[in-house]
Amino acid sequence: MRTHRLLLNGLGNVGRRFVQLLRERSELLEERHQVRVLLVGAADSSGAIYDPSGLDLDTLLRTKAAERGVGELPGAVPGQAITCLIDHHGADLVLEAAPTNLWNGQPGLDVALEALRRKIPVVMASKGPVVLAFPELAALSDWTDPSLPSLRFSGAVGGCLPAINLTHRVLTGCHIHRLEGVLNLSTGIYLTRMEEGLDLDAAIAEAQKAGLAEADPSLDVDGWDLAAKLCILANTVLRQPTRLEDIQRHGLRDLAQGEPRNARMRGERILMLARAELTENGYRLSVGPETLRPDHPFFPLQMGASGLLCDTDIQGRQVVLNADQGPMGTAAAMFRDMIEICEP
Amino acid sequence: MRTHRLLLNGLGNVGRRFVQLLRERSELLEERHQVRVLLVGAADSSGAIYDPSGLDLDTLLRTKAAERGVGELPGAVPGQAITCLIDHHGADLVLEAAPTNLWNGQPGLDVALEALRRKIPVVMASKGPVVLAFPELAALSDWTDPSLPSLRFSGAVGGCLPAINLTHRVLTGCHIHRLEGVLNLSTGIYLTRMEEGLDLDAAIAEAQKAGLAEADPSLDVDGWDLAAKLCILANTVLRQPTRLEDIQRHGLRDLAQGEPRNARMRGERILMLARAELTENGYRLSVGPETLRPDHPFFPLQMGASGLLCDTDIQGRQVVLNADQGPMGTAAAMFRDMIEICEP
């Protein structure tokens, strides 16, 4: 059995859980999938560490749990980036789990480009690179040519919800005429509380207090995060070259005071929805709050759940729903992408 | 671009729609998937026809639409089986869409075994072979060894519902502790009418009159069809060697008179459910009518819809739902399996 040498960038909530999975599931990987992996290098914003015989996963996890950086580990190079490890040592797979921003795609974009140029497959959990540079990434990967290295990012669109899988693997041979997605967890939390009567700012403050919301909630509230996910789906599976600014975007601040509560009292619900509708000029793409009736498959979604719906010609309506596991769900998505790439 | 030579067995509701898709979507196949296919042979119970330069799909469809058999076509061999074509001419892919029975798996089982022994990949829409002989089929195919020919049967478990895809492709790396499925369309139709007050026999008679039910409804009503689908899931994705008789089976005749209607009046629903529950001794497998509450993801399922739910450790609850397209859905599942196998 071949051993795949892994490099991992990013050891936050997602990256650490991915390392936990590596530690706990090596038998499952070998027995079920004939996959053997070895984490030979890792990096966070503090530096990088490399060991060709494999990193000590316990030490790595303990260090991060103590809120210390990789750069502080014995043998690490403070300030070194994962791209240096890719250049100096190569790898069989590069995993990217650092938070990237939507405006420049960094640091994930450089990591992915560096790896793909060196013919190394890449698994990403971050949205930025795909949102900003899908054509460039596709040209270097199996999205354009099956002989090029694989690029997978199933965790970037709704954690472990099989959104990319559904559209890319299941709907093959179909024409999709409508796509709807509930893909942003934070707005689901805010709207649930707003249904109960809180106003938006109070719902945000409460979620921040409980550690469930970002310090800057505008990416979620103003629809940017959801638009980024729709942008990925549009580029990759709807095959429509799309930039973030091509997506019509509304957010929770566009709702009138009390609207979620009023909807609930009418027996309806308001959710933040990503939508693609096929028109004569391609897909019309939008995100924003929409009112759903009880017969909609997303109506029963609880806080923290996500969903994707596609109306097609020959497969009818296909729906996937996930009651998400937060960062573990995204780590699990990276784990399954890794298996898909490494399986013989 | 390589041309894949196809042989198709079975030209009933599913097989004919598959031929329609071949006729209508050759451009889509080439442009999106770099797949070129040519149907060189086909068979039904009346005989077989072969032409190395490709069958005339229009003639084939017109003949079947006129309720005539393949054996009546000019150049056909009356009474010849598809296995003769496999033996004499080989192929790049064999597609099996004949109705098979659950007790001996024929004719699909012989077709699949013959093709796999000759290293030819197989796509099946029929349940029988997988229910009865999965270990034998797996030993000859990529279910045990990636260098052996592919065997796909995504249309055998709920038409185009991505049941096998979810469990085999998406839940990789997970432990599944519960699986629930609504996978039998006929009982969904009967139960909907029973909720409205009809008794079972009246619901069956009505569906038969509308062409929506088999002449012999017992396979559906007594849970055999659903048990067969659960048997496939158990063998393939739960990795538990299972025979049909290992599955605890109840049917609609086990319901007391008026139960579906009473459930509806209480705000609940009764659906025929396939269930796998992980215990200390492996999965406990059962099929039968179960009462669902409104917060269950299957509660809103309409007549003709299907669903699969899996509770897992690291991906939480994953659900797929499909509003099925009947025989076209199953043909679409064969079509996507074909693409997966033929894609470069």
Side-chain angles (χ1 to χ4, degrees), chain A residues 126-173:
Chain A
S126 49
K127 291 178 288 293
V130 190
V131 169
L132 289 164
F134 182 67
E136 206 175 346
L137 293 165
L140 291 166
S141 70
D142 63 350
W143 284 85
T144 52
D145 178 346
S147 70
L148 291 173
S150 296
L151 172 65
R152 293 290 175 273
F153 40 82
S154 79
V157 184
C160 62
L161 180 79
I164 302 280
N165 178 281
L166 176 73
T167 43
H168 193 55
R169 292 279 197 178
V170 172
L171 302 183
T172 38

Side-chain angles (χ1 to χ4, degrees), chain A residues 25 28 32 146 160 162 165 170 172-175 239 313-323 325 332 336 344, chain B residues 25 28 32 146 160 162 165 170 172-175 239 313-323 325 332 336 344:
Chain A
R25 305 211 166 191
L28 181 153
R32 281 198 202 163
C160 62
N165 178 281
V170 172
T172 38
C174 283
H175 295 293
R239 297 177 176 78
D313 54 351
I314 58 172
Q315 292 190 14
R317 171 167 286 191
Q318 297 273 26
V319 180
V320 288
L321 307 174
N322 176 249
Q325 302 298 291
R336 77 175 174 225
Chain B
R25 305 210 165 191
L28 181 152
R32 282 197 201 163
C160 61
N165 176 281
V170 172
T172 38
C174 284
H175 295 293
R239 295 177 178 77
D313 54 351
I314 57 172
Q315 292 190 13
R317 171 167 285 192
Q318 296 272 25
V319 179
V320 287
L321 307 173
N322 176 248
Q325 301 298 289
R336 79 177 173 224

Side-chain angles (χ1 to χ4, degrees), chain B residues 196-214:
Chain B
E196 292 157 13
L198 257 60
D199 70 18
L200 176 60
D201 291 324
I204 292 171
E206 184 192 76
Q208 284 172 331
K209 213 167 160 184
L212 294 171
E214 306 292 326

